[in-house]
Every structure is written in C-alpha cells, then in structure tokens.
Amino acid sequence: MCPNGKKRKGDEGAEDTTNNDHLVTSDDQNHPANLIPSLCAKFWTLGWVTGTGGGASIRDDDLVYIAPSGVQKELMKASDLYVLALSQQTDLKNRVYLRSPPGGRPSQCTPLFLAAFTKRGAGCCIHTHSHWAVLVTLLLEAQGPGQDKVFEINNIEQIKGFGRGFQKQGNLDYHDTLRIPVIENTSHEEDLTEFLEEAMDKYPDTYAVLVRRHGVYVWGDNVHKAKTMCESLDYLFQLAVEMKQLGLPWLSNVPKVITSSGR
Amino acid sequence: MCPNGKKRKGDEGAEDTTNNDHLVTSDDQNHPANLIPSLCAKFWTLGWVTGTGGGASIRDDDLVYIAPSGVQKELMKASDLYVLALSQQTDLKNRVYLRSPPGGRPSQCTPLFLAAFTKRGAGCCIHTHSHWAVLVTLLLEAQGPGQDKVFEINNIEQIKGFGRGFQKQGNLDYHDTLRIPVIENTSHEEDLTEFLEEAMDKYPDTYAVLVRRHGVYVWGDNVHKAKTMCESLDYLFQLAVEMKQLGLPWLSNVPKVITSSGR
Amino acid sequence: MCPNGKKRKGDEGAEDTTNNDHLVTSDDQNHPANLIPSLCAKFWTLGWVTGTGGGASIRDDDLVYIAPSGVQKELMKASDLYVLALSQQTDLKNRVYLRSPPGGRPSQCTPLFLAAFTKRGAGCCIHTHSHWAVLVTLLLEAQGPGQDKVFEINNIEQIKGFGRGFQKQGNLDYHDTLRIPVIENTSHEEDLTEFLEEAMDKYPDTYAVLVRRHGVYVWGDNVHKAKTMCESLDYLFQLAVEMKQLGLPWLSNVPKVITSSGR
Amino acid sequence: MCPNGKKRKGDEGAEDTTNNDHLVTSDDQNHPANLIPSLCAKFWTLGWVTGTGGGASIRDDDLVYIAPSGVQKELMKASDLYVLALSQQTDLKNRVYLRSPPGGRPSQCTPLFLAAFTKRGAGCCIHTHSHWAVLVTLLLEAQGPGQDKVFEINNIEQIKGFGRGFQKQGNLDYHDTLRIPVIENTSHEEDLTEFLEEAMDKYPDTYAVLVRRHGVYVWGDNVHKAKTMCESLDYLFQLAVEMKQLGLPWLSNVPKVITSSGR
C-alpha cells in the first residue's frame, strides 16, 4: 500500500527538492497519511487531543507516519505529517526524517511511539490527554505511595476488548484483571521514553501506559486494535471515575456463573 | 422490501460462489442491511458501542441481519453483515448462514438476538455497553443479595416510552413502575442466552434485560420501537445514576393529580 | 413567507384529496415546516427529545405547525407535520387540522403549545425532556412541600438571556432572580394544559414552565427567542444540578460592582 | 490576505451605500470573516456560546472583525459581522465601524476584545460562557474573600499549552503554576473593561481572565493560539471541577523526576 520511501544513495539532492511529498499523497482513505488526520479529527470530538495535546502514529512495515507537534488536531492534513524509516534511526535522539512538513515541528511523542514500534512490533500508537485518564492517575496518587503505580480493574465486560498480551493469542476474559502501569510525568515529553520502556519491561503484556497527570499511551498490532483498545480503555477510565464518585470499588470478587454448557 | 434469501434445493453451488451478496445490497436506506450500519454509527456517537462492543440485529419476516463481531461500529458497511433464515436454525448452537462476510466473525450476541426474535417475535434487538447501564447494575449490586436482581423506577414521564408488554396494547403510564431484570454476566456471551430466556419467562412483559457489569439488551416489534425504547432506557439509566449521586430515590409515592377532566 | 392555508367555503372536497400538502412544502429552509425538523434534529443531539419525547411547534400568524407524536425526532421530515389554523379552534378539546400526515398521530403537547400561542402570543414553543430539567424538579421536590413549586436562581450572567416578561421591553439583569414555576405531572399530557395556564396566570412574565419529573415547556415571540431561551434555561438547569453536587447555593447575595461609569 | 478597509477621504458616500461588504466577502476559508462563523459554530457544539452567549473577534493588522450580539452562534454568517479599524477608535466608548450588518447590534464584548488587541497586541480574543469556567469561579467564591481572586493549578501536562506570557518566549512547564485572575461581574458587559485591564496590569503574563458567575476571556497572538489556549483552559476548568468533586487538590507538590538526560 505504501510506496517505498527509503533513500537511495546519491538521491539526496532530488529528495531535498521534493521533500518526498509522494509519501503522504494518496487517494486511498486507508493510507496511513489519510488515516492519521481522520483519526485525530475523531479523537478531537472525544476530548482526547484538546488544544493540540496528544497525537498518533502509524507504522507500515519500515515506514512511520507521525502527527506533528502543535497542530489543531481536528484540522490536520496529510501534508502536515512527518515520515521516517525505522531502519534508518541509528541514533534515537537524533532522528532522520524522510519527509518533514514545511514549517513543522516534530512531535515530542516521537521516541515514545518508536518504543512501541521497536519493542512491541506495534503498527499504531495513540497518545491522548483524556481527562478520564488524568483523573484515574490522580485517584491512584491520592491512595498514597506504593498504591499509585498501577490501575487495576476486573469483572467488567469491556475488559474483553484487550488482547492477552505481546505475542499471545486471544483476549482477556471478563473475570481477568486489567493492569495498566502508571509512570511519573517529566517536564520534557521525550524524557518519558526510558520510563515507558521500563514499564513495558515490567508489564510485558500491557498495551497501554498511563502517565501521571498527563494522559495515556496505547498501542496495538494495527490501527484497528490500537484504536479500539484506546476506546475501551477510555470507557474503563470513565467508568472507574464514576465508580469512585459512587463509592464502588474497582476490584471485586465476582464468582463464575455455572452454565449448562459447563464452561 | 427484502429479497427472499431462502436456499432452494440444488442451488448451493451458485450460492457458495455469490455468497448471497444480493441480500445486503439495496439502494433503500430503510433496508435492514443499510439500517444496521447507520444505527450502529449513531450508537457509537452515544457511547453505546465503544471499542467494537455491543451490536444490533434486525429481523424481516424470516430473514435476520446481524452486525458482525469485532468491527468498529461507526465504520460498519452493509457488506460486513451476516444474514440467516430463522426457519433454518434447527440447532441454535450450530447456526447456518445464508450470507457470511468474507473474513468475518459471527457475533457472540447472535443467540441472544435470536431469543428475542423467537420468544417475543421481536423485529429488532439492540445490545449496548452503555456505561449508564453498567453503573445501574453496579449500584444494584451494592445494595446486596436479594436487592440486586431488578432495576425499578417509577413516576418519570419517560417511562411512557415503553410498551405495556408482550402482545399487550398501549404503553406504560407515568405512575407505573418500570422493571428491568438483571442477569449475571458469563465469560462467554453466548452462555448468557439461557439466563436471558429465564428472565424473559420471569418478566414476560419486559422489553429489556440488563447484564451485570456488561450492558443491556433491548428489543421491540420493529426497529423504531427497539431504538426508541433503547434511547428511553438509557435516559432513565443516566437519570438513575444522577439521582443516586444526588441522594434521590428511584421509587417514590407520587399521588395522582386530580384534573378537571376527571381522568 | 407562509402560504395562506385557511379553508375557503366550498373547498373542503379538494382539500380532503390533497391534504393541503402545499402547507408543508417549501424550498425555504426558514419555512416553519423545514425549521421544525431541523430544530428537532438539533435538539436530539442535545438529549432534549430522546426516544420520541418532547416536541416543538411554530406559529406563523394564524397557522400553527406541530411535530407529530411518536416520531424519531432526528429523522422527522416536513411531511410528518400537522398544520392547523388558530382561528378555527372553537373547541380546544376537538381540534380541526388543515393538514394531517398520513398515518400520523397528533401530539399530546398540542393544547399546551396552543396555550402559549393564545395566552402569550408566542411564535414558537419547545418542549424538552432534558434530564437537567427533570433533576431540577426532583431536587426541588426533595426540599419538601412549599419549597418545591418554583425554581429560582440569580447572579448568573446567562440569566440575561431571558426577556423581562410578557409585553415588557428588554431583558433580565445579571442580578435579577429568574423564576420558573413547576407544575405537577399528569398521566395524560393534555391534562397539563389547565395547570400550565394557571402557572402562566400566577407568573405572567415567565417564558417557561417546568413539569415535575417530566421536562420543561419554553416559548418566545419567535423561533429565535424560544430556541435561545430554551438553550439558556437548559444551561442554567445543568449549572444548578452541578452547583448542588458541589454544595453551592442557587440564590446568593452578590453586591453590585461600582464602576467608573457610575451605572 | 485581508483587503484594506481603511476609509479614504471623500469616500464616505460610496461606503455608506455599499457598507463595505467586500470586507466580509472572501472565498478563503481562513479569512477572518469566514473563520469567526466556523469557530463560533464549533464553540456552540462545545457548549461555550449557548443561547447567543459568548463571542469571538479576530484582528488582522489594523482591521478587527467582531461577531455581533444576539445571534445564534452556530448559524452565524460572514455577513453578520462588524468590522472596524483599530486606528480609528479615538473614543473607545463611541466606536466607529467600517462595516455594520443591516439590523445588527454591536457586541457588548467589543471593548473587552479591543483591550486584548491594544494592550497585548493579540490577534484573536474569545469569550465563552462555559459552565466549567462559571463553576470554577463559584468554587473559588465559596473559599471566601481573599481566596477567590485567582484560579491556580499546577503539575498538569495541559498547562504546557500556555505561553509564558506577553512578549516572552516559550511555554509554561509542567510543574509551573498557571494563574488566571478572576474579576467580578457587572450588569453591563462593557463595564467589565476597566476591571479586565486592571487584571491585565496585575497579571501581565496571563492570556485569560475569568469573570465571576459569567465565563472567561481568552486571547492569543493569533487565532491558532487563542483557540488552542481556550481549549486547554476549558479542559483544565473541567478537570478542576471534577477534582473538587473527588476531593483532589488543585495545587500539589510533585517532585521533579530525575532522568538520565540530567534535565
């Protein structure tokens, strides 16, 4: 689907001229360069990317498409996107781009998106500032040190929207406990990367990491999985906040129903 | 309106080839194959079918159209739908389909939809994961065993949006108590069927069944009735949660107003 | 703008045949027959007319256009509307219509809309089931008898969205107290009419009447005023519920600011 | 981009005739006369300009475009706008307009918008009646005199959406405290001007001023900055109200995370 955007030796002059605009030009609405703007516009209506916050990135084989920094997310266009080749990133702190939008600024989320792609083989990573996510991290913080590093909820049907984990088959069960680790926020978003990676190592099966007082990163094998898990998670965060307001606990001991099928 | 999709003997070969795509192909926006996607897109904006959760099915005489599993509900197309003939389902556990979308997975909600069609003659059944529905089941659960099996509310105008019950004329009165039974959730959605049917037997006049920590099933004689009752119910669930937050009881003793008409 | 739809003597036969469809046929998007559907679709997105609840009516001189009963409000079409001539309604309990939609049912709100048109000369009347309105009536009820018959709020800027009252010039001031009377709900919506009229007599300057556990009726000299006052009122109802949740009083004693203009 | 609308001597007669409609006529969707209606329609869906409340103004060099008073904000058209030249306003109480819409009323917000343009060189100013903003001012008021004049929040990522202040480079840090002053409301919106200017003098780096029981004014160097800061601020107001409901403090002492980059 995606044109090969890798640089060929001796080709730099031409690329400087064209800026590889062909990488973000397609009539296919499912092309990553078209999907990112349409997803971001949808996320804006959900309150996930308010005031240029948040972002999204899609990986197609070696090519990575990234929403830029500081753009009104509901107005983003394909021509606003950055594109890079994963295989060309020898120094993750000094990234090289195949395509940069004129006058654009790369997203500080970039190294976090790349972590999901390289450490988990993800095909899409979404970052939201959803205030439900922020409230969940604040509620955990209010529980005090030692109680604030992971969000846990079980016995809610929507939990079944999550895969069992990295390179595992199938989805979580209704009775399973969904665990989303929480990392502390840093002044510079790029500095979150090491902590995100630590959380990935400690919770190898998670598809999301909460950032205290900031938001959440969610990834998946492809756009469909990342987007629907992000939706399911936001649903659970909202539910969790409302449960807290109503004095209902997030973890419960619900017995398995005995059915005639014997399952 | 709907083309007859029943198999004729000796016709299987042709049908395997064409997959009966004509069953989901129509220019009529009120054709079930077009209505299900437009309804699901609307439900997505209401937060009822977040993250591929929930679903909907329409019955037109003997033909049943069903949203597939695992599809982003706001993006669903007519070509994603399953179609089956009610009269051909001799074994409800091993259903045969007139039309299956390429690469699709049948919805686990299917036997629950079929229960509404066969036991109640419903023309449409909707399943939502509305978090208001989930919160109502959690609030009931918190009241303790014996207090958690039915949601009851009375003296709210919106109650008049519900029919009096199966094969009965007219709608509930403002002063009537609306009762929605609650069944326990199971790991496999299909296993809910026997409990849904039990609840239908115990509450023969209900048009809806809540599923604890999961959502709600709502049906009606036709799309219009199922959809508007589902809306009215979600309104009442939201109201009920807000009433609880404000310390207001769901059941009240409101005297009838004496009017000059003497009614 | 509106064609004259009054019956001429000797014309009844022709009208029975045509059903006066010309009364609801216009290319002008500001024609009442087009405005009612577009308003109702907008109100549906606001949660005001969920599940066929609520409605709206516009008066253009002697002609009254009314949304029918039991229609999905976001799907309503001009051809669904009823039309009557005010001057022809000699018996308000047995109304005669210039135009009735085939298979339609007149709205039970009709006599309430007519009360706003005849007693207040209103040009538009809106009825919503907004749950904020319902919650306000429940919160008043919880204050006990004698404290539950009028909603009062002051010192909120949005109060300036309301006219000073029937045949009065100008709008309420920021410091003024907005008072909306509450009437008790009846089993039959038509029976509300006498109580609505009583409330209009007791509060001659109100542009709205709350109906306990039901919703609100709002009217204005024209569509613009009725719609914007309905919006302002819903804003205030929502604010009032949230203030209650936060322990903030609806009535306050805020001193006037002394400005250099000496106003 | 904008046509020069300054009056030339001897031209008044012609301008009286044409009313300078060319100033609000453009095919460019980024022309201020087109941006204001599209922004206001968007703000309406966010509940910021309910019932004709709120407004927006854009300055392009010397020309100022202003939404009129009393218009349904989601229906506003370019032809509804006022246009004036900043350089022509010798008496701020008696403003002269280059273009006035037929039958329009100038917005009472006008002198407040002009204050942002003249005192801060802003390119855009937005006024909302967001009920989150109103609730924040009410919560501050409930803290008592001396505690009610400024909203403060820190250690939330979205704070980084704000510039450091007038003529300063860069944005606030995550750990910085965002301070938004609160002024008291007056009966006449124009009378707010002197207090808004006082607040600007006292908080020279603020990009927003809350008005007690009324709403908020937000400005920025251009449309992009004003709009995204307004969004970020509304996000923070909503979060602040929800934090209060959950017993979470707005100000906290969160230690800086030590990162491997040593920042």
Side-chain angles (χ1 to χ4, degrees), chain D residues 48-70:
Chain D
W48 290 0
V49 292
T50 300
T52 82
S57 179
I58 296 175
R59 180 181 68 82
D60 182 35
D61 199 354
D62 190 46
L63 286 182
V64 173
Y65 301 77
I66 313 168
S69 177

Side-chain angles (χ1 to χ4, degrees), chain B residues 4-19:
Chain B
N4 187 315
K6 290 184 192 171
K7 291 191 178 190
R8 285 169 296 177
K9 280 198 187 293
D11 222 348
E12 286 83 356
E15 289 189 358
D16 283 348
T17 309
T18 66
N19 194 20

